[in-house]
Amino acid sequence: MELTPQEKWEKCLRLFRDNLSQELYETWFKPIAMVSYTDNVVHLAVPSPFYKEHIESNFLDLMRKVLRHVYGIGVDIKYHYQIVKGQQDTDVAVAGSSTSTAVGNRNNAANPFVAKGDDEIDSQLNPRYNFNNFCTGECNRLADTIGRAIAKHPSRQTYNPLFVFGPPGVGKTHLAQAIGIGIKETSPRSRVLYVTARLFESQYTAANARGKINDFIAFYQGIDTLIIDDIQDFIGKPGTQRTFFHIFNHLHLNSKQLIMTSDVRPSEMDNMEERLLSRFKWGMTCELFRPDYEMRVKVLTRKAQQEGVDLSEDVINYIAENVTNSFRELEGIMVSLLTHATVQNCPINLELAEKVIANSVKIRRHSVNFEMIADQVSAFYNISVDELFTRSRKREINDARQMVMYMTKKHTTLPLTAIGARLSRSHATVLHAVNNIENRLATEAKLRAELSEIESVLIK
């Protein structure tokens, strides 16, 4: 007997619960409600735009696999949420929207080749990422000043290209899109395009396969302001790098603005063409740092105001003291607090904040270093520490080595290049290992259990 759409969604929830820890499931999936299912589109209600973004940033692969398994290939999602507390729901469609993602087929993602008019394209900019919502402090003041200058006077070309780098979650995407939005406000007819490096790569691959590479290049050469997010994802992709090199040259020669973001500085980009790296340094290079205490308080206060929530000073101070890595982590804690308070029908007090942070952030009671991680991982997998440093490709040794790279990235401040140097590996190898472990953790309960057991001994 055919399951009803609601029964299918309940089956999805069971699969999510089976593949996630109870805390993750209760926080991020249980509050989601299915509104309807029409034309192979699942309509889901989520508490907020950030809630939706967090799910897609951290659980997208799991979402794709589960929904395709239950609803079939080609299924999409349409999210419903409130932009402003108390106002009408805002719908965000999957196909053809800059703030959503197709589940069934990656090629369903919004395509910048599709113009909305003769001279207009879909800029792929998220209106939430504007300068009014961008918190400024010592960690990002220079980048903010330069970004506003570009947005106000896009034709001056003083900072072209602009290369912004810093660790994940410090506001690179927000800043880059805010500049794009500012340019559109200053010059509405300007052809501004925001695109992630991965989407650029997939478009390049598809165009190359269809024999449309010249059309692909011609389209990008017609952009006035090109924003490439996470450009480190071009590492190890020589064809994409060569194509982008020609696009870059054409745009720069014709005084078109280029803005790029990266998790690493240009000097740390192994396997990136030298001629391309040299061009990244032609204009202005800005680093975004992790938010300091004052900035974290500022972000939490503003987020609480946006959500219409009264947070006591002791709650804000406690979160700011213990959640230190990124703006994204701070916003995630806020979403968790709101969800717990709603589900449990309890006030947001210090006790709830302590519980949420203990479950989500794993507060470290002592410092952890590379050697401690290597010792603990090798002991857990019953191999010698020396084997981690060999060139062996045995499955068990390679898996343990990747776990060491992932945990070092997670629990220390060592950059990827330094982690690779410890193991005689390149930056690209470490990046691949970290991404591989993250992807596996989303679907492999056994690996999550192993990581939890290792961390329980390592972090007390």
Side-chain angles (χ1 to χ4, degrees), residues 241-284:
Q241 291 178 35
R242 286 192 296 270
T243 301
F244 181 67
F245 172 81
H246 296 300
I247 293 170
F248 183 106
N249 279 350
H250 178 90
L251 294 178
H252 196 273
L253 183 64
N254 288 275
S255 299
K256 306 300 184 182
Q257 181 72 48
L258 290 118
I259 301 168
M260 295 160 288
T261 76
S262 170
D263 286 351
V264 296
R265 64 185 75 237
S267 60
E268 296 177 350
M269 289 186 174
D270 299 335
N271 295 325
M272 186 79 82
E273 287 194 12
E274 188 60 38
R275 61 179 183 170
L276 195 53
L277 288 176
S278 69
R279 280 158 176 76
F280 292 168
K281 306 170 189 175
W282 276 1
M284 184 68 191

Side-chain angles (χ1 to χ4, degrees), residues 195-385:
V195 63
T196 64
R198 289 190 179 183
L199 181 55
F200 183 96
E201 157 72 14
S202 67
Q203 290 171 347
Y204 161 76
T205 302
N208 197 32
R210 296 196 303 265
K212 298 289 186 179
I213 196 65
N214 289 335
D215 293 340
F216 174 84
I217 294 174
F219 170 81
Y220 275 96
Q221 287 181 341
I223 301 300
D224 297 316
T225 298
L226 178 59
I227 304 169
I228 302 284
D229 204 2
D230 290 325
I231 203 165
Q232 77 277 354
D233 288 337
F234 283 174
I235 290 174
K237 299 178 175 66
T240 304
Q241 291 178 35
R242 286 192 296 270
T243 301
F244 181 67
F245 172 81
H246 296 300
I247 293 170
F248 183 106
N249 279 350
H250 178 90
L251 294 178
H252 196 273
L253 183 64
N254 288 275
S255 299
K256 306 300 184 182
Q257 181 72 48
L258 290 118
I259 301 168
M260 295 160 288
T261 76
S262 170
D263 286 351
V264 296
R265 64 185 75 237
S267 60
E268 296 177 350
M269 289 186 174
D270 299 335
N271 295 325
M272 186 79 82
E273 287 194 12
E274 188 60 38
R275 61 179 183 170
L276 195 53
L277 288 176
S278 69
R279 280 158 176 76
F280 292 168
K281 306 170 189 175
W282 276 1
M284 184 68 191
T285 301
C286 290
E287 182 173 6
L288 297 186
F289 301 93
R290 298 187 189 280
D292 58 22
Y293 177 79
E294 291 183 0
M295 174 63 82
R296 297 196 294 271
V297 170
K298 185 177 181 180
V299 169
L300 290 167
T301 302
R302 176 175 293 188
K303 186 67 177 175
Q305 292 172 346
Q306 291 174 344
E307 297 291 343
V309 177
D310 291 327
L311 286 186
S312 64
E313 186 175 341
D314 59 342
V315 170
I316 290 177
N317 291 339
Y318 181 80
I319 299 173
E321 288 171 359
N322 291 285
V323 183
T324 61
N325 282 338
S326 67
F327 296 118
R328 189 177 300 151
E329 191 174 40
L330 287 170
E331 292 185 340
I333 290 297
M334 282 294 296
V335 172
S336 294
L337 281 172
L338 292 171
T339 304
H340 278 77
T342 300
V343 173
Q344 300 174 17
N345 193 26
C346 65
I348 300 179
N349 52 28
L350 187 58
E351 181 181 357
L352 180 62
E354 290 174 346
K355 176 185 176 182
V356 169
I357 291 177
N359 290 333
S360 303
V361 179
K362 301 289 186 184
I363 300 175
R364 295 192 287 273
R365 303 303 179 188
H366 63 273
S367 60
V368 175
N369 58 38
F370 173 85
E371 288 73 20
M372 294 166 61
I373 293 172
D375 288 343
Q376 192 58 45
V377 170
S378 60
F380 181 85
Y381 289 108
N382 196 29
I383 63 175
S384 70
V385 176

Side-chain angles (χ1 to χ4, degrees), residues 24 39 61 64 69 74 183 205 219 234 281 286 295 310 325 341 345 358 368 408 426 438 443 456:
L24 287 177
D39 298 326
D61 286 342
R64 283 198 180 105
H69 174 73
I183 291 174
T205 302
F219 170 81
F234 283 174
K281 306 170 189 175
C286 290
M295 174 63 82
D310 291 327
N325 282 338
N345 193 26
V368 175
T408 304
S426 69
E438 287 179 345
T443 57
S456 68

Side-chain angles (χ1 to χ4, degrees), residues 100-138:
S100 304
T101 304
V103 174
N105 187 341
R106 292 179 184 268
N107 292 332
N108 288 339
N111 186 351
F113 293 107
V114 179
K116 295 193 293 185
D118 291 339
D119 299 314
E120 188 179 358
I121 63 168
D122 185 349
S123 293
Q124 305 292 295
L125 295 168
N126 186 337
R128 291 181 60 249
Y129 291 147
N130 56 61
F131 279 118
N132 291 333
N133 294 328
F134 189 73
C135 287
T136 307
E138 292 304 316

Side-chain angles (χ1 to χ4, degrees), residues 60-127:
L60 184 56
D61 286 342
L62 178 61
M63 289 279 286
R64 283 198 180 105
K65 292 176 182 178
V66 169
L67 267 72
R68 281 187 299 195
H69 174 73
V70 176
Y71 288 93
I73 296 175
V75 64
D76 289 342
I77 302 174
K78 187 173 184 181
Y79 294 93
H80 300 256
Y81 52 71
Q82 292 180 321
I83 289 289
V84 179
K85 190 176 181 66
Q87 290 190 5
Q88 184 177 0
D89 282 352
T90 299
D91 295 343
V92 180
V94 172
S97 169
S98 63
T99 55
S100 304
T101 304
V103 174
N105 187 341
R106 292 179 184 268
N107 292 332
N108 288 339
N111 186 351
F113 293 107
V114 179
K116 295 193 293 185
D118 291 339
D119 299 314
E120 188 179 358
I121 63 168
D122 185 349
S123 293
Q124 305 292 295
L125 295 168
N126 186 337

